[in-house]
Amino acid sequence: MCGASFEFKAVIGGDFADELFVSALSLRDVLKLECTSRSAQQSLLSGSSWVMSACHELLPRFRVTGPARMFRGACKDDIRQLLATLRGVSTTSPATPISLGSLSQSLALAAATRRAETRACRHLEMGGTFSQVVVCNFRFPSAAAALAETSARSLDMHASSRIIINNIVQGNQSQAWQFKLAMQGGKMLVGACRRDAPIDPLADPVVAADAQLPSLLVDVHSVCDEFSIRLFDAGMQADASWVSAMGLCSMSGSRAAAIEALTRGITCVLCIRDTRTSERPSESKSGLHTMNLDAPRRFSS
């Protein structure tokens, strides 16, 4: 049967074989086919379906939404590094895979994940006791609606969807935390609370911080062509109110593209760390310096 498959490949060749034949093979079969001859190897690498097979089998928490041809001509080493990086990273909702819509986005997501993992390892080397890297998707439906309306008020808060991250270690306990981002008047806000908290400070952000409650630091790095978010060392305390985060928020391209991205969701890499005794959460009152998304101007234009 294998010989018949190889002969079939040699006879039809080209895109037709790549899309209809190789795409139906398992990753193990693709690897066997690659070893048959140099021409078979070159034919496979010039196509793209082998990458789709690899993503489908090795990255169950991700879903390739772009066409198979987006991987055509990609460097095999880049794809190998992409698969190795994303295979080991955690996501917030295994039931809802993270979308990979283009080769550039996929490679950028892998690169952002590696940078976050480097920072997480450095934190532990400096004496930290907990660090975790998570890939998630934040949707901003009210912000999208505000961009679509010229009469929207600039000081309205536009909160993201809520994500849940399990196994946040504080001392000897492991808990699930809920995280949200929000845009308000040119600032980016970050909020967190424990999943079993008796109150919901993210819905009613007036709760005072309690020094006895656990705290975390988080970096947020978005991977999105239409909308960029970069937040660093955002300090959060469990079950406390929203806090301003220092960083950058930039909208690229058209308003329509940004609205679609905010509605669809922005893929982000989070680097979450505990606060060591020598390091306190940032309590800076400075707002987010925006570039293309200046909220007071953008929402009123």
Side-chain angles (χ1 to χ4, degrees), residues 108 112 115 181 188 190 218-225 227-234 245-250 252 266-269 288-289 291:
R115 287 194 295 270
L181 303 178
M188 182 65 76
V190 181
V218 62
D219 297 343
V220 182
H221 184 125
S222 68
V223 181
C224 178
D225 293 336
F227 208 96
S228 297
I229 299 173
R230 304 286 189 275
L231 305 179
F232 302 96
D233 292 329
M246 291 297 295
L248 175 70
C249 183
S250 174
S252 358
I266 298 175
T267 299
C268 294
V269 179
L288 180 69
H289 297 289
M291 291 176 63

Side-chain angles (χ1 to χ4, degrees), residues 166-237:
N166 297 307
N167 303 321
I168 299 292
V169 178
Q170 293 287 319
N172 296 324
Q173 294 184 340
S174 177
Q175 295 180 314
W177 281 46
Q178 304 177 70
F179 291 84
K180 292 178 80 172
L181 303 178
M183 304 174 189
Q184 183 181 39
K187 296 185 296 183
M188 182 65 76
L189 308 177
V190 181
C193 67
R194 292 168 296 182
R195 190 174 186 179
D196 58 354
I199 54 176
D200 188 357
L202 303 187
D204 186 18
V206 295
V207 183
D210 184 343
Q212 301 302 316
L213 292 175
S215 57
L216 294 172
L217 292 174
V218 62
D219 297 343
V220 182
H221 184 125
S222 68
V223 181
C224 178
D225 293 336
E226 301 85 6
F227 208 96
S228 297
I229 299 173
R230 304 286 189 275
L231 305 179
F232 302 96
D233 292 329
M236 301 174 296
Q237 199 165 42

Side-chain angles (χ1 to χ4, degrees), residues 45 50 71-81 103 107:
L45 295 181
W50 68 274
F71 293 115
R72 185 162 298 164
C75 174
K76 188 175 181 179
D77 288 339
D78 287 344
I79 297 301
R80 184 184 294 113
Q81 195 171 34
L103 176 60
L107 295 177

Side-chain angles (χ1 to χ4, degrees), residues 18-19 47-49 52 66-74 103:
D18 185 50
E19 295 178 8
S48 54
S49 292
M52 300 290 284
R69 62 179 178 272
M70 77 182 199
F71 293 115
R72 185 162 298 164
L103 176 60

